[in-house]
């Protein structure tokens, strides 16, 4: 088990905030995790488990224990003519895993290429992009309960997945399950999912296979989204809000072009990016933080912003959207 004191989290948050943790603990295996979860000193502190830190906003130093998994490895645990089941360690890099599946001809997650993060978080967050959600390829999630110290295996339905949500994000469970492995079920005879946005346009004169779809997704993301290696950011700052039909229809009278996607007969989803752009925030900055000029759902650390600068800009956006459209944007990013 690796234990560090007064440890800089600069490399552990994609907003690139130079904050410190009083303690940083990285466990390498389940035995170490069990030890941690039976340690009295650990429970006397505040604690928070992180992945790659691609969805976190540190508002200052963390006076407690930041926990990180070091569990690696990809193991085949089942196979038939149509599917393969892979058990993957929580600390594996998400996009390396996507690349590995694509190289081997296993489909299902290629539309989720180039999303920063680690395997464990993919299962908590239900990462989604370009018409795909990881929930559709998750078979099991292996986790330890922080409350009981016991190992639990969650079948896919137990994870209660919905848009950017899971059992693990429910208020009573948040931060209280440490994922060790995720078992994914990938397809050997794969059907492609090319209807979102301009994926087909990118593939117009190309053969369609897992590799070309992955290349198209990477090209689209690179064009639209800032690279966290160059400019600190955490991808989408807010989730796309749901509107009931009554509310949506009253807005549509004033904004006939409001983009929307039906969720069911009673609810539509409206892109938060559009709401934010309508409020005039595209490209706007506050101290070192700024709204990305190509995708206003993304807030960037443009010039040595603090966590509070980023949070203040997010709050201004939230207030403006609330005043104009009577809807509360919910941050997708976790404030720590
Ligand atoms: N839009 C604008 N102005 C803009 C950009 C977008 O009005 O400057 C509107 C347009 O109507 C556009 C719509 O927003 O059609 C959707 O935009 P986009 O395709 O970029 O997707 P998004 O809904 O803003 C979601 C995910 C992204 C994911 C993309 C692509 C959420 C919170 N975000 O964004 O995920 O990459 O779809 O599938 O659902 C992330 O989670 O970090 C992330 C980047």
């Amino acid at each position: 088990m690796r234990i560090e004191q007064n440890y800089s989290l600069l490399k552990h948050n994609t907003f690139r905030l130079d904050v410190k943790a009083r303690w940083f603990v990285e466990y390498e295996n389940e035995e170490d995790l069990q030890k941690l979860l039976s340690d009295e000193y650990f429970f006397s502190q505040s604690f928070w488990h992180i992945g790659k830190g691609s969805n976190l906003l540190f508002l200052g130093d963390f006076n407690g224990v930041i926990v990180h998994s070091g569990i690696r490895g990809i193991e085949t645990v089942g196979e038939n003519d149509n599917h393969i089941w892979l058990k993957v360690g929580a600390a594996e890099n998400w996009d390396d895993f996507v690349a590995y599946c694509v190289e081997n001809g296993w489909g299902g997650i290629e539309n989720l290429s180039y999303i920063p993060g680690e395997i464990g978080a993919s299962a908590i967050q239900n990462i989604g992009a370009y018409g795909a959600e990881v929930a559709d390829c998750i078979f099991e999630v292996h986790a330890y309960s922080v409350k009981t110290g016991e190992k639990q295996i969650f079948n896919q339905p137990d994870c209660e997945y919905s848009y950017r949500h899971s059992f693990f994000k429910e208020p009573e469970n948040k931060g209280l399950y440490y994922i060790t492995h995720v078992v994914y079920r990938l397809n050997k005879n794969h059907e492609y999912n090319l209807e979102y946005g301009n994926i087909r346009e990118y593939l117009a004169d190309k053969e369609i296979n897992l590799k070309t779809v992955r290349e198209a997704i990477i090209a689209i993301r690179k064009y639209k989204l800032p690279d966290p290696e160059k400019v600190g950011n955490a991808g989408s700052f807010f989730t796309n809000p749901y509107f009931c039909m009554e509310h949506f229809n009253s807005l549509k009278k004033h904004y006939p072009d409001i983009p929307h996607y039906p969720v069911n007969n009673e609810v539509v989803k409206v892109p938060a990016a559009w709401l934010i752009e309508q409020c005039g925030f595209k490209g706007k900055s506050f101290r070192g933080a700024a709204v990305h000029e190509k995708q206003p759902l993304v807030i960037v650390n443009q010039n040595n912003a603090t966590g509070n600068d980023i949070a203040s800009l997010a709050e201004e956006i939230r207030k403006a959207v609330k005043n104009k459209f009577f809807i509360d944007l919910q941050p997708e990013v976790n404030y720590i």
Side-chain angles (χ1 to χ4, degrees), residues 129-130 163-164 196 224 236 238 240 271 274 277 282 295-296:
Y130 305 99
Y163 168 63
R164 291 293 204 277
Y196 190 97
K224 274 200 173 174
S236 302
F238 300 99
N240 288 325
W274 185 86
E277 183 169 358
K282 213 168 177 170
Q295 171 43 293

Side-chain angles (χ1 to χ4, degrees), residues 259-322:
H260 59 283
Y261 312 98
V263 174
N264 56 40
N265 287 341
E266 284 145 34
V267 179
V268 293
K269 194 157 79 169
V270 172
W274 185 86
L275 300 170
I276 297 169
E277 183 169 358
Q278 295 299 308
C279 292
F281 275 95
K282 213 168 177 170
K284 272 210 174 158
S285 58
F286 173 76
R287 300 209 180 111
V291 177
H292 188 52
E293 65 284 350
K294 287 202 194 110
Q295 171 43 293
L297 193 46
V298 178
I299 298 181
V300 296
N301 177 357
Q302 195 171 49
N303 186 16
N304 292 319
T306 63
N308 281 314
D309 295 342
I310 294 166
S312 300
L313 180 54
E315 186 54 21
E316 287 308 308
I317 293 171
R318 226 184 46 76
K319 274 197 221 144
V321 169
K322 172 96 176 170

Side-chain angles (χ1 to χ4, degrees), residues 240-254:
N240 288 325
Y242 286 8
F243 284 71
C244 71
M245 277 304 171
E246 203 185 347
H247 187 173
F248 174 72
N249 286 332
S250 73
L251 282 180
K252 201 165 164 37
K253 283 190 196 133
H254 300 282

Side-chain angles (χ1 to χ4, degrees), residues 40-204:
E40 274 180 32
Y41 183 71
F42 173 65
F43 283 104
S44 72
Q45 303 286 302
S46 312
F47 50 85
W48 187 259
H49 197 301
I50 61 168
K52 195 179 159 60
S54 55
N55 221 3
L56 294 183
L57 177 62
F58 284 103
L59 298 174
D61 291 341
F62 189 77
N63 186 20
V65 191
I66 291 290
V67 185
H68 186 242
S69 168
I71 297 180
R72 310 290 300 257
I74 303 179
E75 186 191 343
T76 301
V77 290
E79 192 164 4
N80 64 20
D81 288 347
N82 297 320
H83 298 112
I84 184 157
W85 285 259
L86 300 170
K87 182 179 170 190
V88 189
E92 289 289 343
N93 178 277
W94 169 257
D95 193 52
D96 291 348
F97 174 60
V98 178
Y100 173 80
C101 293
V102 165
E103 271 159 34
N104 282 286
W106 303 322
I109 52 174
E110 62 285 353
N111 286 32
L112 304 177
S113 288
Y114 216 58
I115 294 180
E118 291 174 358
I119 291 292
S122 77
I124 292 180
Q125 184 64 11
N126 187 16
I127 54 173
Y130 305 99
E133 277 189 354
V134 76
D136 294 332
C137 288
I138 285 181
F139 182 70
E140 278 174 357
V141 176
H142 298 197
Y144 278 76
S145 158
V146 174
K147 278 189 187 156
T148 65
E150 299 289 318
K151 182 171 180 170
Q152 274 176 255
I153 296 186
F154 294 80
N155 294 320
Q156 201 269 11
D158 303 335
C159 299
E160 297 170 11
Y161 286 122
S162 58
Y163 168 63
R164 291 293 204 277
H165 198 70
S166 71
F167 169 88
F168 309 105
K169 287 181 81 175
E170 288 290 329
E172 67 274 21
N173 302 326
K174 203 167 175 172
L176 295 178
Y177 286 89
Y178 292 179
I179 292 178
T180 56
H181 298 90
V182 181
V183 181
Y184 299 92
R185 191 189 77 160
L186 284 313
N187 304 313
K188 290 183 177 174
N189 307 305
H190 183 55
E191 280 176 23
Y192 297 95
N193 179 353
L194 308 175
E195 302 319 315
Y196 190 97
N198 50 351
I199 305 179
R200 275 203 187 277
E201 217 177 286
Y202 264 86
L203 288 165

